[in-house]
Amino acid sequence: MRLAELSRRSGVSTATIKYYLREGLLPAGRQVNTTTAEYDEEHLRRLRLVRAMIQVGRLPVATVREVLGHVDDDSLGRTIRLGAALWALPQVPEPDEDDEYVQAAHREVGELLQALGWTNAKALTTISPAYRSLVVGVAAFRRLGYDWGAELLAPYARLMHQAAVLDLDFVETHPSEAEKAETAVLGAILNEPVLRALHRLAQEEESARRYGFE
C-alpha cells in the first residue's frame, strides 16, 4: 500500500506517519522509486502500536523508540525480550532503601514470593521494576498503618498469576517474536486500565450484592 492508504487505514495523518518514519519509530517502506514507497500489514500493525503508546500511554518519543528497540532485538530470548520492552515503560520512582517501611516491605514481598514458589520472580528482585513497584505499594500501606503482608497479598497474587497465564496465552497466538513482544507492550498499555476498571466494577457489584443500594 502507498502512504495515502496507510494513512487511511490507520487513521493517522500522512504528516504524522512521515514524522514517525524520521524518528525511527516506523520501519522504512520498500522504495518503488525516488519519491514513492510501499508499505505492508507489518507497517500498519506497528503504526497502531506506536499510536497507542503515544496517545493512550502518553509516552515520549524517546521512550517509544527505546521500547521498540527491545521489541525488534532478535538477539534476545523471548523472556528477556518481553521483559526489556516492558521495563522500558515508565515506572515508579526508586524506593528509599533507608526507609524502615521500605525495608519491612522488602521482607514481606520476599516472604510472599517464597510462599507462592515464584522462584523466577525472586531471582529478578534486584532489577525488576514490578518488584520495586510492589515494594513501594506495600511500604505505603504499612506507613499508613495497614498490615498488608504476605498472607493478605497471596490470594491477590494468585489471581494475578491467572491473569498472566491468559496474557501469555494470547501473546502466543501471534506468529513472530516481534509481534509477541508488541502484543505484550500493547497489553501493558491498554489492558492494565481495562483490568483496573473491571476490578472496580467487580467491587461495585459485590458491594451491591452484600449491602444493597440503601
Side-chain angles (χ1 to χ4, degrees):
M1 75 187 88
R2 301 295 172 87
L3 183 62
E5 184 180 355
L6 181 62
S7 174
R8 179 183 61 78
R9 291 184 60 185
S10 66
V12 180
S13 70
T14 57
T16 299
I17 294 174
K18 290 178 180 178
Y19 171 68
Y20 291 164
L21 287 165
R22 289 195 302 273
E23 292 295 322
L25 306 184
L26 196 65
R30 183 179 66 85
Q31 286 298 134
V32 176
N33 54 48
T34 56
T35 60
T36 306
E38 284 191 342
Y39 304 90
D40 55 22
E41 296 298 321
E42 182 178 341
H43 289 91
L44 182 61
R45 188 185 71 247
R46 176 57 61 90
L47 184 55
R48 288 169 174 163
L49 173 63
V50 170
R51 205 61 171 158
M53 294 172 75
I54 291 176
Q55 284 196 329
V56 180
R58 304 294 182 186
L59 302 182
V61 168
T63 300
V64 174
R65 189 185 299 110
E66 180 183 359
V67 171
L68 295 178
H70 296 305
V71 166
D72 293 331
D73 190 345
D74 293 330
S75 69
L76 301 176
R78 184 177 301 173
T79 296
I80 301 301
R81 193 175 193 169
L82 294 177
L86 294 175
W87 293 355
L89 296 173
Q91 308 293 338
V92 300
E94 294 285 337
D96 179 3
E97 298 297 342
D98 294 326
D99 187 308
E100 63 178 301
Y101 296 105
V102 169
Q103 294 170 359
H106 274 295
R107 292 192 293 270
E108 292 287 358
V109 174
E111 290 177 13
L112 171 67
L113 299 180
Q114 183 70 30
L116 294 169
W118 288 9
T119 55
N120 294 315
K122 194 169 184 179
L124 296 172
T125 55
T126 57
I127 58 174
S128 172
Y131 172 83
R132 294 196 296 272
S133 294
L134 182 56
V135 166
V136 169
V138 171
F141 268 114
R142 296 185 69 89
R143 193 173 289 109
L144 294 171
Y146 295 96
D147 186 19
W148 270 71
E151 185 175 349
L152 286 176
L153 286 170
Y156 289 92
R158 294 188 181 98
L159 288 174
M160 290 300 99
H161 184 259
Q162 294 178 37
V165 170
L166 294 175
D167 289 342
L168 292 182
D169 284 347
F170 180 66
V171 164
E172 289 174 1
T173 64
H174 295 77
S176 72
E177 293 300 322
E179 286 179 81
K180 288 178 172 63
E182 286 180 1
T183 303
V185 171
L186 196 59
I189 295 170
L190 300 181
N191 202 29
E192 288 182 3
V194 170
L195 292 178
R196 183 168 60 246
L198 284 172
H199 185 201
R200 291 176 181 174
L201 281 173
Q203 289 175 328
E204 293 171 6
E205 174 68 17
E206 182 61 19
S207 178
R209 287 182 181 181
R210 293 190 184 198
Y211 315 123
F213 290 99
E214 297 181 3

